[in-house]
Amino acid sequence: MLSAIEELQAMKDDLGRQLYSIKWSVLNPRLHGGVPQNRERVFIVGIRRDVKKAEMKWPGEMKMRNITDFLEPHVPKTQLTSGTEIKNLAKAREHILGQGLNPDKDPCIVNLGGSNVHWNLGYSPCLTRSRAGSGGFYFTWLRRKMTINEILALQGVRMGACQQETVTPRQLCQIAGNAICVDVLARLMRCLLEATNLNH
């Protein structure tokens, strides 16, 4: 990352002056977008000095919405068939119970596919390309995996907004896993527009 910033800072205009004002920060949908997904990403912003009107202010933290706002109703339970997933769910349940929580009632979201089982209370682990492509994570209190619409919703895409005409459901989930959360990007773009006075 440092070399990328240095390269951007080294760019000069025709008079040999630094072309861009460069800043970077780590943003997370659950902290900076109100979306219940833990997805830390580095954002590098370059504002051309001739259009910069004010210092760039990064999006501040905001209240995270409830995970239930992102879930579809009446989805059937998932019958786990993979030995790894069954074993990992048993481990996760044991750990959740050890934390004084009830996996059948508390909104625990578990990564069943990884070699190191982990879970979060009330928000999703990071939806990567591979994890989203394999069906997302497991909701212990609902006893099922995420749906395609839920994976998209946790990336800030409203349910039912995508047409699946040219890609398979798995490919759509993989694309979602590679994406930037729309809510974070929208707030960041608003900050950029304010810094350049282009928001009028």
Side-chain angles (χ1 to χ4, degrees), residues 163-185:
Q163 299 295 322
Q164 289 179 233
E165 296 173 359
T166 58
V167 296
T168 66
R170 182 171 184 271
Q171 288 170 328
L172 181 59
C173 289
Q174 289 175 326
I175 291 167
N178 264 345
I180 298 171
C181 180
V182 173
D183 300 69
V184 173
L185 189 58

PDB file of all heavy atoms in Angstrom, residues 163-185:
ATOM      1  N   GLN A 163     -30.636  -8.711 -11.622  1.00  0.00           N
ATOM      2  CA  GLN A 163     -31.212  -9.688 -12.541  1.00  0.00           C
ATOM      3  C   GLN A 163     -30.162 -10.764 -12.817  1.00  0.00           C
ATOM      4  O   GLN A 163     -29.034 -10.449 -13.161  1.00  0.00           O
ATOM      5  CB  GLN A 163     -31.611  -9.004 -13.856  1.00  0.00           C
ATOM      6  CG  GLN A 163     -32.656  -7.922 -13.687  1.00  0.00           C
ATOM      7  CD  GLN A 163     -33.992  -8.461 -13.211  1.00  0.00           C
ATOM      8  OE1 GLN A 163     -34.409  -9.526 -13.619  1.00  0.00           O
ATOM      9  NE2 GLN A 163     -34.645  -7.726 -12.326  1.00  0.00           N
ATOM     10  N   GLN A 164     -30.550 -12.023 -12.685  1.00  0.00           N
ATOM     11  CA  GLN A 164     -29.627 -13.129 -12.906  1.00  0.00           C
ATOM     12  C   GLN A 164     -29.821 -13.722 -14.290  1.00  0.00           C
ATOM     13  O   GLN A 164     -30.276 -14.848 -14.436  1.00  0.00           O
ATOM     14  CB  GLN A 164     -29.839 -14.203 -11.841  1.00  0.00           C
ATOM     15  CG  GLN A 164     -29.367 -13.800 -10.470  1.00  0.00           C
ATOM     16  CD  GLN A 164     -29.634 -14.888  -9.458  1.00  0.00           C
ATOM     17  OE1 GLN A 164     -30.225 -14.664  -8.452  1.00  0.00           O
ATOM     18  NE2 GLN A 164     -29.183 -16.098  -9.741  1.00  0.00           N
ATOM     19  N   GLU A 165     -29.471 -12.982 -15.300  1.00  0.00           N
ATOM     20  CA  GLU A 165     -29.676 -13.478 -16.659  1.00  0.00           C
ATOM     21  C   GLU A 165     -28.389 -13.961 -17.307  1.00  0.00           C
ATOM     22  O   GLU A 165     -28.425 -14.805 -18.184  1.00  0.00           O
ATOM     23  CB  GLU A 165     -30.307 -12.367 -17.512  1.00  0.00           C
ATOM     24  CG  GLU A 165     -31.700 -11.983 -17.028  1.00  0.00           C
ATOM     25  CD  GLU A 165     -32.258 -10.789 -17.758  1.00  0.00           C
ATOM     26  OE1 GLU A 165     -31.560 -10.245 -18.636  1.00  0.00           O
ATOM     27  OE2 GLU A 165     -33.393 -10.390 -17.452  1.00  0.00           O
ATOM     28  N   THR A 166     -27.264 -13.413 -16.902  1.00  0.00           N
ATOM     29  CA  THR A 166     -26.010 -13.753 -17.577  1.00  0.00           C
ATOM     30  C   THR A 166     -25.010 -14.464 -16.671  1.00  0.00           C
ATOM     31  O   THR A 166     -23.981 -14.909 -17.150  1.00  0.00           O
ATOM     32  CB  THR A 166     -25.335 -12.478 -18.129  1.00  0.00           C
ATOM     33  OG1 THR A 166     -25.108 -11.557 -17.053  1.00  0.00           O
ATOM     34  CG2 THR A 166     -26.210 -11.818 -19.175  1.00  0.00           C
ATOM     35  N   VAL A 167     -25.297 -14.567 -15.398  1.00  0.00           N
ATOM     36  CA  VAL A 167     -24.390 -15.260 -14.489  1.00  0.00           C
ATOM     37  C   VAL A 167     -25.170 -16.273 -13.660  1.00  0.00           C
ATOM     38  O   VAL A 167     -26.378 -16.139 -13.476  1.00  0.00           O
ATOM     39  CB  VAL A 167     -23.645 -14.281 -13.539  1.00  0.00           C
ATOM     40  CG1 VAL A 167     -22.741 -13.352 -14.320  1.00  0.00           C
ATOM     41  CG2 VAL A 167     -24.622 -13.488 -12.673  1.00  0.00           C
ATOM     42  N   THR A 168     -24.479 -17.265 -13.160  1.00  0.00           N
ATOM     43  CA  THR A 168     -25.109 -18.253 -12.290  1.00  0.00           C
ATOM     44  C   THR A 168     -25.273 -17.653 -10.892  1.00  0.00           C
ATOM     45  O   THR A 168     -24.610 -16.660 -10.557  1.00  0.00           O
ATOM     46  CB  THR A 168     -24.237 -19.517 -12.194  1.00  0.00           C
ATOM     47  OG1 THR A 168     -23.007 -19.174 -11.516  1.00  0.00           O
ATOM     48  CG2 THR A 168     -23.935 -20.093 -13.575  1.00  0.00           C
ATOM     49  N   PRO A 169     -26.123 -18.244 -10.053  1.00  0.00           N
ATOM     50  CA  PRO A 169     -26.244 -17.753  -8.669  1.00  0.00           C
ATOM     51  C   PRO A 169     -24.904 -17.741  -7.938  1.00  0.00           C
ATOM     52  O   PRO A 169     -24.600 -16.796  -7.205  1.00  0.00           O
ATOM     53  CB  PRO A 169     -27.218 -18.747  -8.037  1.00  0.00           C
ATOM     54  CG  PRO A 169     -28.056 -19.227  -9.182  1.00  0.00           C
ATOM     55  CD  PRO A 169     -27.115 -19.281 -10.355  1.00  0.00           C
ATOM     56  N   ARG A 170     -24.085 -18.772  -8.141  1.00  0.00           N
ATOM     57  CA  ARG A 170     -22.769 -18.825  -7.488  1.00  0.00           C
ATOM     58  C   ARG A 170     -21.881 -17.675  -7.970  1.00  0.00           C
ATOM     59  O   ARG A 170     -21.190 -17.034  -7.178  1.00  0.00           O
ATOM     60  CB  ARG A 170     -22.093 -20.160  -7.767  1.00  0.00           C
ATOM     61  CG  ARG A 170     -20.744 -20.322  -7.076  1.00  0.00           C
ATOM     62  CD  ARG A 170     -20.228 -21.760  -7.219  1.00  0.00           C
ATOM     63  NE  ARG A 170     -18.986 -21.916  -6.482  1.00  0.00           N
ATOM     64  CZ  ARG A 170     -17.781 -21.690  -6.992  1.00  0.00           C
ATOM     65  NH1 ARG A 170     -17.653 -21.287  -8.256  1.00  0.00           N
ATOM     66  NH2 ARG A 170     -16.690 -21.861  -6.270  1.00  0.00           N
ATOM     67  N   GLN A 171     -21.891 -17.414  -9.283  1.00  0.00           N
ATOM     68  CA  GLN A 171     -21.078 -16.319  -9.822  1.00  0.00           C
ATOM     69  C   GLN A 171     -21.537 -14.971  -9.274  1.00  0.00           C
ATOM     70  O   GLN A 171     -20.718 -14.107  -8.970  1.00  0.00           O
ATOM     71  CB  GLN A 171     -21.140 -16.317 -11.350  1.00  0.00           C
ATOM     72  CG  GLN A 171     -20.377 -17.447 -12.000  1.00  0.00           C
ATOM     73  CD  GLN A 171     -20.647 -17.555 -13.498  1.00  0.00           C
ATOM     74  OE1 GLN A 171     -21.749 -17.243 -13.971  1.00  0.00           O
ATOM     75  NE2 GLN A 171     -19.644 -17.992 -14.244  1.00  0.00           N
ATOM     76  N   LEU A 172     -22.857 -14.789  -9.138  1.00  0.00           N
ATOM     77  CA  LEU A 172     -23.383 -13.545  -8.588  1.00  0.00           C
ATOM     78  C   LEU A 172     -22.897 -13.348  -7.150  1.00  0.00           C
ATOM     79  O   LEU A 172     -22.493 -12.246  -6.766  1.00  0.00           O
ATOM     80  CB  LEU A 172     -24.914 -13.544  -8.638  1.00  0.00           C
ATOM     81  CG  LEU A 172     -25.606 -12.284  -8.116  1.00  0.00           C
ATOM     82  CD1 LEU A 172     -25.166 -11.050  -8.896  1.00  0.00           C
ATOM     83  CD2 LEU A 172     -27.123 -12.451  -8.173  1.00  0.00           C
ATOM     84  N   CYS A 173     -22.909 -14.415  -6.378  1.00  0.00           N
ATOM     85  CA  CYS A 173     -22.420 -14.335  -4.994  1.00  0.00           C
ATOM     86  C   CYS A 173     -20.916 -14.028  -4.963  1.00  0.00           C
ATOM     87  O   CYS A 173     -20.452 -13.256  -4.115  1.00  0.00           O
ATOM     88  CB  CYS A 173     -22.713 -15.627  -4.244  1.00  0.00           C
ATOM     89  SG  CYS A 173     -24.463 -15.851  -3.876  1.00  0.00           S
ATOM     90  N   GLN A 174     -20.145 -14.626  -5.869  1.00  0.00           N
ATOM     91  CA  GLN A 174     -18.718 -14.340  -5.939  1.00  0.00           C
ATOM     92  C   GLN A 174     -18.465 -12.874  -6.289  1.00  0.00           C
ATOM     93  O   GLN A 174     -17.575 -12.230  -5.724  1.00  0.00           O
ATOM     94  CB  GLN A 174     -18.047 -15.251  -6.973  1.00  0.00           C
ATOM     95  CG  GLN A 174     -17.945 -16.699  -6.533  1.00  0.00           C
ATOM     96  CD  GLN A 174     -17.393 -17.594  -7.628  1.00  0.00           C
ATOM     97  OE1 GLN A 174     -17.633 -17.376  -8.815  1.00  0.00           O
ATOM     98  NE2 GLN A 174     -16.660 -18.614  -7.233  1.00  0.00           N
ATOM     99  N   ILE A 175     -19.251 -12.340  -7.212  1.00  0.00           N
ATOM    100  CA  ILE A 175     -19.134 -10.925  -7.575  1.00  0.00           C
ATOM    101  C   ILE A 175     -19.434 -10.057  -6.358  1.00  0.00           C
ATOM    102  O   ILE A 175     -18.718  -9.085  -6.073  1.00  0.00           O
ATOM    103  CB  ILE A 175     -20.089 -10.585  -8.749  1.00  0.00           C
ATOM    104  CG1 ILE A 175     -19.609 -11.275 -10.028  1.00  0.00           C
ATOM    105  CG2 ILE A 175     -20.187  -9.074  -8.953  1.00  0.00           C
ATOM    106  CD1 ILE A 175     -20.637 -11.274 -11.150  1.00  0.00           C
ATOM    107  N   ALA A 176     -20.487 -10.413  -5.626  1.00  0.00           N
ATOM    108  CA  ALA A 176     -20.830  -9.666  -4.411  1.00  0.00           C
ATOM    109  C   ALA A 176     -19.689  -9.721  -3.398  1.00  0.00           C
ATOM    110  O   ALA A 176     -19.366  -8.722  -2.756  1.00  0.00           O
ATOM    111  CB  ALA A 176     -22.116 -10.219  -3.797  1.00  0.00           C
ATOM    112  N   GLY A 177     -19.067 -10.892  -3.271  1.00  0.00           N
ATOM    113  CA  GLY A 177     -17.962 -11.036  -2.326  1.00  0.00           C
ATOM    114  C   GLY A 177     -16.755 -10.182  -2.680  1.00  0.00           C
ATOM    115  O   GLY A 177     -15.980  -9.788  -1.813  1.00  0.00           O
ATOM    116  N   ASN A 178     -16.593  -9.864  -3.963  1.00  0.00           N
ATOM    117  CA  ASN A 178     -15.479  -9.023  -4.418  1.00  0.00           C
ATOM    118  C   ASN A 178     -15.801  -7.537  -4.364  1.00  0.00           C
ATOM    119  O   ASN A 178     -14.930  -6.706  -4.603  1.00  0.00           O
ATOM    120  CB  ASN A 178     -15.105  -9.378  -5.869  1.00  0.00           C
ATOM    121  CG  ASN A 178     -13.948 -10.347  -5.934  1.00  0.00           C
ATOM    122  OD1 ASN A 178     -13.238 -10.551  -4.960  1.00  0.00           O
ATOM    123  ND2 ASN A 178     -13.767 -10.957  -7.082  1.00  0.00           N
ATOM    124  N   ALA A 179     -17.050  -7.202  -4.084  1.00  0.00           N
ATOM    125  CA  ALA A 179     -17.515  -5.822  -4.215  1.00  0.00           C
ATOM    126  C   ALA A 179     -17.145  -4.952  -3.012  1.00  0.00           C
ATOM    127  O   ALA A 179     -16.699  -5.431  -1.970  1.00  0.00           O
ATOM    128  CB  ALA A 179     -19.029  -5.817  -4.409  1.00  0.00           C
ATOM    129  N   ILE A 180     -17.365  -3.657  -3.189  1.00  0.00           N
ATOM    130  CA  ILE A 180     -17.254  -2.691  -2.094  1.00  0.00           C
ATOM    131  C   ILE A 180     -18.668  -2.434  -1.593  1.00  0.00           C
ATOM    132  O   ILE A 180     -19.598  -2.289  -2.390  1.00  0.00           O
ATOM    133  CB  ILE A 180     -16.639  -1.363  -2.599  1.00  0.00           C
ATOM    134  CG1 ILE A 180     -15.227  -1.601  -3.124  1.00  0.00           C
ATOM    135  CG2 ILE A 180     -16.641  -0.310  -1.506  1.00  0.00           C
ATOM    136  CD1 ILE A 180     -14.643  -0.380  -3.824  1.00  0.00           C
ATOM    137  N   CYS A 181     -18.848  -2.360  -0.293  1.00  0.00           N
ATOM    138  CA  CYS A 181     -20.167  -2.087   0.268  1.00  0.00           C
ATOM    139  C   CYS A 181     -20.661  -0.718  -0.220  1.00  0.00           C
ATOM    140  O   CYS A 181     -19.997   0.301  -0.041  1.00  0.00           O
ATOM    141  CB  CYS A 181     -20.112  -2.124   1.788  1.00  0.00           C
ATOM    142  SG  CYS A 181     -21.715  -1.802   2.553  1.00  0.00           S
ATOM    143  N   VAL A 182     -21.823  -0.706  -0.852  1.00  0.00           N
ATOM    144  CA  VAL A 182     -22.367   0.504  -1.468  1.00  0.00           C
ATOM    145  C   VAL A 182     -22.551   1.618  -0.444  1.00  0.00           C
ATOM    146  O   VAL A 182     -22.274   2.793  -0.729  1.00  0.00           O
ATOM    147  CB  VAL A 182     -23.704   0.189  -2.178  1.00  0.00           C
ATOM    148  CG1 VAL A 182     -24.378   1.455  -2.683  1.00  0.00           C
ATOM    149  CG2 VAL A 182     -23.470  -0.792  -3.316  1.00  0.00           C
ATOM    150  N   ASP A 183     -23.004   1.284   0.753  1.00  0.00           N
ATOM    151  CA  ASP A 183     -23.261   2.307   1.772  1.00  0.00           C
ATOM    152  C   ASP A 183     -21.984   3.053   2.156  1.00  0.00           C
ATOM    153  O   ASP A 183     -21.997   4.274   2.346  1.00  0.00           O
ATOM    154  CB  ASP A 183     -23.878   1.665   3.017  1.00  0.00           C
ATOM    155  CG  ASP A 183     -25.202   0.982   2.706  1.00  0.00           C
ATOM    156  OD1 ASP A 183     -25.175  -0.055   2.004  1.00  0.00           O
ATOM    157  OD2 ASP A 183     -26.255   1.478   3.142  1.00  0.00           O
ATOM    158  N   VAL A 184     -20.870   2.329   2.273  1.00  0.00           N
ATOM    159  CA  VAL A 184     -19.592   2.956   2.601  1.00  0.00           C
ATOM    160  C   VAL A 184     -19.129   3.827   1.435  1.00  0.00           C
ATOM    161  O   VAL A 184     -18.694   4.976   1.627  1.00  0.00           O
ATOM    162  CB  VAL A 184     -18.519   1.897   2.935  1.00  0.00           C
ATOM    163  CG1 VAL A 184     -17.146   2.534   3.107  1.00  0.00           C
ATOM    164  CG2 VAL A 184     -18.912   1.137   4.190  1.00  0.00           C
ATOM    165  N   LEU A 185     -19.241   3.288   0.225  1.00  0.00           N
ATOM    166  CA  LEU A 185     -18.803   4.029  -0.962  1.00  0.00           C
ATOM    167  C   LEU A 185     -19.616   5.315  -1.135  1.00  0.00           C
ATOM    168  O   LEU A 185     -19.069   6.369  -1.477  1.00  0.00           O
ATOM    169  CB  LEU A 185     -18.915   3.148  -2.197  1.00  0.00           C
ATOM    170  CG  LEU A 185     -18.301   3.700  -3.477  1.00  0.00           C
ATOM    171  CD1 LEU A 185     -16.828   4.009  -3.300  1.00  0.00           C
ATOM    172  CD2 LEU A 185     -18.507   2.714  -4.619  1.00  0.00           C
TER     173      LEU A 185
END
